[in-house]
Amino acid sequence: MNGMLHKPLIPSAYYESIGRKHAQKVPCDSCKWDQKTVVTILENRQYTGCAVNFKSTTVSYKVHKVIHNPTEEYQIIPNMQEPIISEEQWLRVQELRKHRRRPTSTGRQSLFSGLVYCPDCGAKLHFCAAKSLKQNQEFWRCSNYKSGRGKCQIHYIRDISLEQIVLESIRSLANFVKCYESAFLYMLAKKTNLVRQTEDKKLRLSVERGEKRIAEIDKLIEKVFEQNAAGLLSDERFSKLLQNYECEQKRLQTEIEEWKAALDDVGQKVTDLR
């Protein structure tokens, strides 16, 4: 390979190389992956070896319109197949993608890349730089604007103006802290308490859902025992399901203990503001 790394073929090119029939046209560059395909792969949690259920539902058995459920309602069943990557790696990728910084055609990036959002629609603002623009002309624009064809109105601010606004805010905050330190500490503690209360609520909800799922698994285990005894479920399938249920239950029990410990920690850190 002359010291070069092998580039993976796109699916159509791979099928072509092994003589498998396919409906897609093979492009000139057989290693140029489509961005949407890469995003789908990066966001697919099932590569961690789990199964993801209840991603969508329908209005009713008569109305077949698909409704996508929020991620909080997904049912994650671990150890359903051999993992390609670890759960920790997958979660790290999702965190990095939230704050990804896309390079511009000029290679220049802003200090605030991946951190600026539209005040109306909440979408990220895109940093726009080009060879025809001087550095003091580079600007930000709502990603949902799409030259007037998107769902949001244009929001425009020069990068240099944004830098000045942030710098002035930092200076103002520094002056406030210097003059009113006790008031600042009170406000900081109040904000921190609010964050911790939100965290407390999320942890309690996680504990509640975990305990509910453990109770559901107990019923499912009882059901597969009955099905196996009645000859409705093969011994091999019974063993596989039982192992998966017990692994999930054990994982949940560990997580619940961690969540409860985190709850105690959050409660101890809440500042008394009286």
Side-chain angles (χ1 to χ4, degrees):
M1 295 177 64
N2 299 325
M4 294 180 65
L5 292 174
H6 175 66
K7 293 182 178 181
L9 298 171
I10 62 173
S12 58
Y14 173 73
Y15 292 153
E16 190 84 12
S17 69
I18 62 175
R20 178 175 170 179
K21 292 183 179 180
H22 61 90
Q24 300 295 324
K25 182 179 178 181
V26 180
C28 296
D29 188 348
S30 59
C31 296
K32 187 176 182 180
W33 285 71
D34 181 76
Q35 184 179 353
K36 290 182 179 179
T37 303
V38 176
V39 169
T40 300
I41 292 172
L42 292 175
E43 293 180 350
N44 191 342
R45 191 166 190 165
Q46 294 179 101
Y47 288 134
T48 64
C50 68
V52 183
N53 296 333
F54 306 118
K55 291 192 290 185
S56 63
T57 185
T58 54
V59 176
S60 69
Y61 72 94
K62 292 183 178 180
V63 182
H64 300 292
K65 181 180 178 181
V66 176
I67 300 174
H68 295 283
N69 293 325
T71 54
E72 296 80 16
E73 296 183 11
Y74 290 0
Q75 183 189 53
I76 312 298
I77 305 176
N79 305 317
M80 293 300 289
Q81 61 260 343
E82 191 70 26
I84 296 175
I85 62 170
S86 67
E87 178 79 6
E88 292 75 18
Q89 285 178 312
W90 185 86
L91 291 171
R92 178 58 178 159
V93 169
Q94 309 317 305
E95 184 63 28
L96 290 173
R97 281 183 51 76
K98 288 180 182 179
H99 305 289
R100 62 190 184 278
R101 299 186 175 194
R102 295 189 180 94
T104 61
S105 58
T106 64
R108 296 196 298 267
Q109 285 188 339
S110 168
L111 290 170
F112 312 108
S113 293
L115 303 173
V116 189
Y117 295 84
C118 175
D120 288 344
C121 69
K124 283 189 175 181
L125 298 187
H126 282 173
F127 178 56
C128 303
K131 293 179 180 179
S132 60
L133 295 176
K134 296 180 181 178
Q135 193 165 356
N136 62 357
Q137 294 176 319
E138 294 168 345
F139 63 95
W140 293 85
R141 183 176 63 191
C142 179
S143 58
N144 276 336
Y145 172 62
K146 298 178 181 177
S147 300
R149 296 176 286 106
K151 61 182 181 181
C152 190
Q153 299 296 317
I154 187 170
H155 290 283
Y156 171 97
I157 185 172
R158 290 189 187 275
D159 189 56
I160 191 171
S161 299
L162 182 59
E163 286 184 8
Q164 291 172 351
I165 291 171
V166 173
L167 182 59
E168 289 173 4
S169 296
I170 293 173
R171 286 172 176 168
S172 177
L173 179 60
N175 289 332
F176 179 83
V177 173
K178 186 177 180 180
C179 298
Y180 307 101
E181 183 178 356
S182 58
F184 172 76
L185 291 175
Y186 176 84
M187 293 168 63
L188 182 62
K190 189 174 182 180
K191 183 176 179 64
T192 302
N193 279 355
L194 183 61
V195 172
R196 286 172 179 160
Q197 287 170 7
T198 303
E199 184 181 355
D200 181 277
K201 186 177 179 180
K202 288 181 179 179
L203 287 169
R204 291 185 186 279
L205 184 60
S206 296
V207 170
E208 183 181 338
R209 287 176 174 172
E211 291 177 340
K212 183 179 179 182
R213 176 59 184 167
I214 286 176
E216 290 175 353
I217 293 173
D218 283 335
K219 293 179 181 178
L220 290 170
I221 289 175
E222 183 179 344
K223 185 176 181 180
V224 295
F225 266 106
E226 291 174 353
Q227 290 178 334
N228 179 251
L232 300 175
L233 195 66
S234 68
D235 290 342
E236 183 180 357
R237 184 59 178 162
F238 165 75
S239 179
K240 179 69 174 178
L241 287 172
L242 183 61
Q243 182 183 7
N244 289 337
Y245 286 142
E246 288 178 341
C247 284
E248 183 185 359
Q249 204 168 46
K250 187 176 181 180
R251 176 182 62 82
L252 284 170
Q253 288 169 344
T254 302
E255 289 179 345
I256 288 172
E257 289 178 4
E258 292 173 352
W259 291 330
K260 287 183 176 180
L263 271 171
D264 292 338
D265 188 52
V266 169
Q268 291 173 5
K269 289 181 178 178
V270 173
T271 305
D272 187 357
L273 300 176
R274 291 175 296 175

